[in-house]
Amino acid sequence: MKLGVIYALALGAHPTVAFEFPKLPTFFKPQSTTAPVGSFIDDKKQELLEAVSYTGNGKTASTETQARVVSIVREIEKVAPVPDTLLTDPVEAKRLDGTWFLQYTSPSEVGDVGNADDDWKAVAASEDGAVEIRQFTAKGTVSAAGVTVDTSNRSTKQIFDVEKNIVSNEVNLDFGKVTVKGPFRRSENVSNRAIVAFKDLELELNGGIKLSLGWVFSLIKSLKGTDVGGWLETTYLGEDMRIGRGNKGTMFVLTRDPDAVKP
């Protein structure tokens, strides 16, 4: 409310007073000390990309670097949380669609960092006993229903097909490409959590030979009694960056640009 109007309201109780305080020039208005949210997020994302660079997808990150990354991630997540309608609103879900490049993995907690009361915590982590929640503390790797792949200094993609409700992970190795994929559904416990049932495992060798190893997941299903492989929560989603948490406590940083991070 302008200062002149405030005076007018204050003096309005005395009808004999006709004086109105003159309007102040705009250059007298106090400047905001709070940076716009968009600018803050952009700065933090750049800081995050610099922090995860030269870590081999997190494989060679020191404890200090891990703690710094988790701290930056929490700042981003708190200021710009994803909407509850991420997996139900077609417009919001479309932002998740397509190819993302994995740039960093690490535990969600590093010492005391990431363990505060207002930090991210997995709610109903086991999804009523269907999902394994044993903490996975390895760095620079991904795991899908017991199949673990080293992603350090590897081109690793995560692809969401929102229309078909399918997610896939692709890792390029020295001898070829490994792909795991399966359908996903929205969790009833956490709105931004996608529960994945991995069904396909393919190995494409450099010579062009393709091996279908989906029977591995079929075997796991027969042993576990369920085909649910795990879940992934998207905790931040921008046009060029996505941050996620997994059922084993792993934190992921992904980008649209494969070269956004220095290897």
Side-chain angles (χ1 to χ4, degrees), residues 65-191:
T65 296
Q66 285 184 299
R68 180 188 174 203
V69 169
V70 171
S71 178
I72 298 171
V73 163
R74 283 304 294 137
E75 289 186 81
I76 294 174
E77 291 172 335
K78 290 176 183 178
V79 173
V82 298
D84 292 337
T85 55
L86 175 63
L87 296 176
T88 56
D89 183 339
V91 176
E92 290 291 340
K94 198 65 179 176
R95 298 172 58 211
L96 187 64
D97 203 40
T99 300
W100 296 89
F101 292 88
L102 183 65
Q103 304 288 8
Y104 183 86
T105 64
S106 80
S108 290
E109 296 180 10
V110 181
D112 293 333
V113 179
N115 197 30
D117 290 341
D118 62 345
D119 280 337
W120 176 88
K121 297 290 188 299
V123 176
S126 69
E127 288 290 334
D128 301 321
V131 177
E132 181 183 354
I133 58 174
R134 178 174 52 87
Q135 295 297 289
F136 186 68
T137 58
K139 304 179 294 182
T141 60
V142 293
S143 179
V147 178
T148 302
V149 179
D150 186 344
T151 61
S152 57
N153 294 318
R154 307 286 186 182
S155 174
T156 305
K157 302 177 186 177
Q158 186 169 81
I159 306 169
F160 270 90
D161 186 333
V162 172
E163 184 177 354
K164 296 180 180 179
N165 282 353
I166 292 177
V167 62
S168 60
N169 295 328
E170 295 183 2
V171 183
N172 289 317
L173 303 174
D174 293 336
F175 54 83
K177 180 175 68 176
V178 176
T179 302
V180 295
K181 65 180 179 179
F184 70 87
R185 60 178 173 82
R186 178 178 177 271
S187 166
E188 295 182 0
N189 297 303
V190 182
S191 62

Side-chain angles (χ1 to χ4, degrees), residues 5-17 19:
V5 177
I6 295 175
Y7 268 76
L9 291 174
L11 298 175
H14 304 279
T16 58
V17 180
F19 176 76

Side-chain angles (χ1 to χ4, degrees), residues 35-54:
V37 171
S39 176
F40 174 83
I41 292 297
D42 288 342
D43 290 344
K44 285 299 173 182
K45 288 197 298 184
Q46 184 59 41
E47 185 179 350
L48 179 58
L49 293 177
E50 292 174 359
V52 304
S53 289
Y54 306 111

Side-chain angles (χ1 to χ4, degrees), residues 203-216:
L203 175 60
E204 182 177 350
L205 302 177
N206 291 333
I209 299 176
K210 295 183 180 181
L211 303 175
S212 180
L213 305 174
W215 59 266
V216 173

